[in-house]
């Protein structure tokens, strides 16, 4: 009797310790995954905002360079004034003022307030830097005389190699912060802060912070000061810090996680920091923790009941039957709870994949729309120019002299339509050398002609058109050819952007329909693979080259939602293994009564020691925040439930996952 009692107590203690260990281990792993996922969300938001600000200033930088190269802007005649007024009208709301600065630092012309003409602005900090360097310059955020925060961007104007001043615009800072920073929200209280290279908080939702240096607002937080020093060097990274005050509210230090991303500007940089309290990562696992506590309670209660029943068995056999019934009920409850926990983990993995779609879909749709707006603005700007000088120059040509001009125009259109002539930068040295060569050959306005040929991608082919370039009408004719080719370029950009946006919207619509369907149906495998590629390997990952090999006869019977999750997990694993750069091969073929799908990536391969555990739940080779260890386990169970198999082959530089399913 005594031996039986001690045995029962020993079993009870072992079960209790095992249950506690399982609970705390699983909770700790899930908590770490939650923090890592919070960091990942902050990184995505910071990168999107940084890319948006970079593209915003890049557009105006290129536009001002284009305008500064026009003869009418260089000479600032009546046509130049008309062109700049039209540009200001087109950019109303984004550009508050456009100014032509003379070489001595005085205002040669300004719109919409022309009363400032002749005012000396050479002592302004950014204008002094511009006049000294004679290179494109971006000002710090300053208070304009009209009473709003603004940023000034100025580019040089050259007249046949001589410095002729600059062309500047005044951009309201509120529009930049509203569009890219102030709308960022993460968790319940997370937000974004925008700082300049000196650490001044350009935007911060905390009252009293905007306009002050972060070293002043965070003087009581040594960890935040250390993070500020890292941000002041440029670049990007993750960090964490303790903060004891928000505005005027002082309390116990709060641990926060942050992602900072630098935004390279014309001659400086800004830094965007997305920050959120670390405690918000625990919110989504509260239910998981409570379920574990309930499960532990059930196990402990079951163990106690089992021990009592075991002891009473020695006295009455009738109590044994009742005890067995109670134990079976407890076990059924445990199994049901475990099943519920498993379904929640599967749902969590689906939500993680959906989160990645949501993180990238805004960028994949906004980028084509931005390209369409930019290209249409260029078309309207070009169409509004006075073409009478070019028409007069063309009319003065005889039939024989028009042949080389027509050839120049045809070649420029070919380059613009194919994208070969798209400008990738300003090859200043090559342009200057070409201008000197043309000038030595007697070509008039050689600098302007060299710039126009470079913009059309024909600088290296200038020898073909030497006869045309030698004519006195050449500057007007070449400028007109460049203007017309820019229309073709803009039309091509609009067409490509519309196709990109249409593909993303179509894939997202198909994804939404698949999520709603819960009945098995005949599915075309290639269509679902294309949907996964469109959503996860779109234009936001230009470093990945995708190769497709599809057999048109590949159909299987399954619930669409299930197969969508299988292809999504395999594609995401391949993309993350390559770290955004490499080749992804997708193949689907029919072999007898089976459909074989192969997804191969050029990543580093799966380590030898991890291959035996690759399909185990909660096992992952990815860094924290990039994998829960459930994706391949879920994919395996879905494939096996459909009567199929999944396997892989891996070596350095190539990993292939192969899925075989019964053909429909």
């Amino acid at each position: 009797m005594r031996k039986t009692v001690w045995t029962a107590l020993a079993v009870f203690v072992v079960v209790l310790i095992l249950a506690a260990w399982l609970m705390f281990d699983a909770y700790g792993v899930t908590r770490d995954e939650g923090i890592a996922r919070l960091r990942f969300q902050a990184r995505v938001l910071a990168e999107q905002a940084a890319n948006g600000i970079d593209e915003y200033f890049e557009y105006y930088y290129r536009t001002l360079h284009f305008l500064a190269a026009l003869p009418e802007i260089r000479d600032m005649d009546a046509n130049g004034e008309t062109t700049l007024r039209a540009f200001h009208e087109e950019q109303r709301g984004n550009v508050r003022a456009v100014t032509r600065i003379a070489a001595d630092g005085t205002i040669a012309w300004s719109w919409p307030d022309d009363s400032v003409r002749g005012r000396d602005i050479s002592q302004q900090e950014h204008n002094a830097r511009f006049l000294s360097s004679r290179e494109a310059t971006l000002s710090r955020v300053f208070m304009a005389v009209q009473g709003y925060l603004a940023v000034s961007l100025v580019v040089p104007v050259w007249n046949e190699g001589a410095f002729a001043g600059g062309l500047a615009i005044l951009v309201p800072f509120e529009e930049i912060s509203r569009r890219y920073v102030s709308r960022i929200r993460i968790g319940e209280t997370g937000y974004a802060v925008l700082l300049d290279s000196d650490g001044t908080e350009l935007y911060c939702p905390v009252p009293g912070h905007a306009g002050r240096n972060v070293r002043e607002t965070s003087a009581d937080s040594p960890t935040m000061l250390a993070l500020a020093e890292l941000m002041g060097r440029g670049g990007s990274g993750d960090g964490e810090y303790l903060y004891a005050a928000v505005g005027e509210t002082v309390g116990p230090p709060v641990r926060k996680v942050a992602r900072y991303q630098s935004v390279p500007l014309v001659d400086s940089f800004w830094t965007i920091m997305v920050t959120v309290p670390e405690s918000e990562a625990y919110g989504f696992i509260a239910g998981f923790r409570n379920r574990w506590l309930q499960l532990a309670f059930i196990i402990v209660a079951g163990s106690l009941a089992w021990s009592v029943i075991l002891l009473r068995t020695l006295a009455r056999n009738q109590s044994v039957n009742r005890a067995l019934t109670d134990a079976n009920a407890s076990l059924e409850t445990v199994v049901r709870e475990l099943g519920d926990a498993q379904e929640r983990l599967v749902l969590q993995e689906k939500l993680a994949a959906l989160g990645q779609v949501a993180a990238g879909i805004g960028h994949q749709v906004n980028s084509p729309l931005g390209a369409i707006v930019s290209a249409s603005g260029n078309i309207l700007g070009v169409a509004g120019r006075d073409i009478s000088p070019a028409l007069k120059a063309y009319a003065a040509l005889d039939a024989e002299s028009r042949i080389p001009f027509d050839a120049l125009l045809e070649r420029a259109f070919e380059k613009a339509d194919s994208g070969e002539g798209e400008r990738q930068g300003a090859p200043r040295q090559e342009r200057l050398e070409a201008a000197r060569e043309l000038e030595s050959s007697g070509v008039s306005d050689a600098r302007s002609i060299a710039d126009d040929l470079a913009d059309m991608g024909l600088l290296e082919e200038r020898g073909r058109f030497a006869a045309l370039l030698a004519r006195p009408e050449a500057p007007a004719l070449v400028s007109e050819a460049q203007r017309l080719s820019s229309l073709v370029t803009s039309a091509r950009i609009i067409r490509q952007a519309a196709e990109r946006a249409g593909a993303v919207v179509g894939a997202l619509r198909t994804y939404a329909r698949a999520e709603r369907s819960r009945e098995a149906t005949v599915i075309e495998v290639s269509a679902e693979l294309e949907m996964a590629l469109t959503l996860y390997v779109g234009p936001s990952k230009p470093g990945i080259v995708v190769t497709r090999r599809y057999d048109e006869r590949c159909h299987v019977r399954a619930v669409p939602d299930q197969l969508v999750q299988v292809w999504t997990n395999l594609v995401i694993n391949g993309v993350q293994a390559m770290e955004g750069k490499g080749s992804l091969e997708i193949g689907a073929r029919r072999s007898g009564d089976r459909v074989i799908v192969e997804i191969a990536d050029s990543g580093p391969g799966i380590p030898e020691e991890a291959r035996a555990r690759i399909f185990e739940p909660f096992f992952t080779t990815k860094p924290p925040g990039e994998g829960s260890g459930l994706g391949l386990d879920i994919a395996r169970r879905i494939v096996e439930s459909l009567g199929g198999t999944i396997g892989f082959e891996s070596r350095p530089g190539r990993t292939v996952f192969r899925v075989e399913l019964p053909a429909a």
Side-chain angles (χ1 to χ4, degrees), residues 285-319:
I285 61 174
F288 177 77
R289 178 196 58 198
N290 294 337
R291 285 297 185 182
W292 266 110
L293 290 174
Q294 293 176 10
L295 182 61
F297 175 78
I298 291 173
I299 293 175
V300 171
S303 300
L304 284 171
W306 177 78
S307 300
V308 172
I309 292 171
L310 180 62
L311 293 175
R312 295 184 63 183
T313 302
L314 301 175
R316 290 186 302 176
N317 290 333
Q318 185 177 5
S319 299

Side-chain angles (χ1 to χ4, degrees), residues 623-647:
E626 293 187 10
S628 63
L630 293 173
L632 288 177
D633 173 62
I634 292 172
R636 176 185 59 80
R637 287 189 283 106
I638 291 174
V639 170
E640 291 178 352
S641 71
L642 298 174
T645 60
I646 182 172

Side-chain angles (χ1 to χ4, degrees), residues 384-397:
R385 288 182 50 193
D386 184 10
I387 64 172
S388 58
L391 293 177
K392 292 177 181 179
Y394 186 80
L397 297 175

Side-chain angles (χ1 to χ4, degrees), residues 565-584:
Q565 194 165 8
V566 172
W567 310 141
T568 294
N569 286 332
L570 295 181
V571 169
I572 290 177
N573 284 349
V575 171
Q576 292 179 341
M578 295 183 290
E579 298 183 349
K581 184 176 182 180
S583 62
L584 188 68

Side-chain angles (χ1 to χ4, degrees), residues 16-34 285 288-289 292-293 295-296 345 613 616-619 628:
L16 183 62
I17 294 174
L18 180 61
W21 179 82
L22 288 174
M23 181 186 71
F24 287 109
D25 181 69
Y27 178 75
V29 171
T30 309
R31 180 198 58 198
D32 294 341
E33 288 290 338
I285 61 174
F288 177 77
R289 178 196 58 198
W292 266 110
L293 290 174
L295 182 61
L345 291 175
R613 304 182 58 196
E616 290 183 10
F618 298 106
F619 177 78
S628 63

Side-chain angles (χ1 to χ4, degrees), residues 406-536:
D406 293 339
L408 172 67
L409 198 59
E410 181 180 1
R411 181 60 177 152
F413 283 1
E414 291 176 357
K415 287 257 186 177
D417 189 56
S418 64
E420 295 179 32
E422 188 170 358
R423 185 174 178 183
Q424 299 298 330
R428 179 175 176 81
Q429 188 61 34
E430 294 180 17
R431 294 180 184 221
L432 290 176
E433 292 176 0
R436 285 195 291 268
E437 177 184 334
L438 293 172
E439 190 173 15
S440 65
S441 301
V443 176
S444 62
D445 201 359
R447 176 63 185 275
S448 175
I449 290 177
D451 286 341
D452 288 336
L453 289 174
D455 290 342
M456 292 185 289
L458 299 177
L459 193 62
E460 296 181 358
E461 301 179 31
R462 59 185 179 275
R464 293 179 51 188
F465 313 104
L468 175 64
L469 300 181
R471 297 184 63 87
E473 305 90 355
L477 292 174
V478 174
S479 177
E480 185 63 14
Q482 190 276 333
R483 185 180 73 87
L484 294 175
S485 69
S486 70
L487 293 178
V488 177
T489 299
S490 297
R492 174 180 54 79
I493 290 173
I494 290 174
R495 183 184 69 243
Q496 293 174 345
E499 291 172 353
R500 284 169 49 194
V504 172
V505 173
L508 190 60
R509 183 171 59 249
T510 303
Y511 185 91
R513 289 174 179 171
E515 284 291 324
R516 292 196 299 267
S517 176
R518 302 304 302 171
E519 296 181 0
T521 183
V522 176
I523 298 171
E524 183 180 356
V525 174
S526 60
E528 292 211 333
L529 289 171
E530 279 301 305
M531 180 188 67
L533 289 174
T534 301
L535 293 177
Y536 296 95

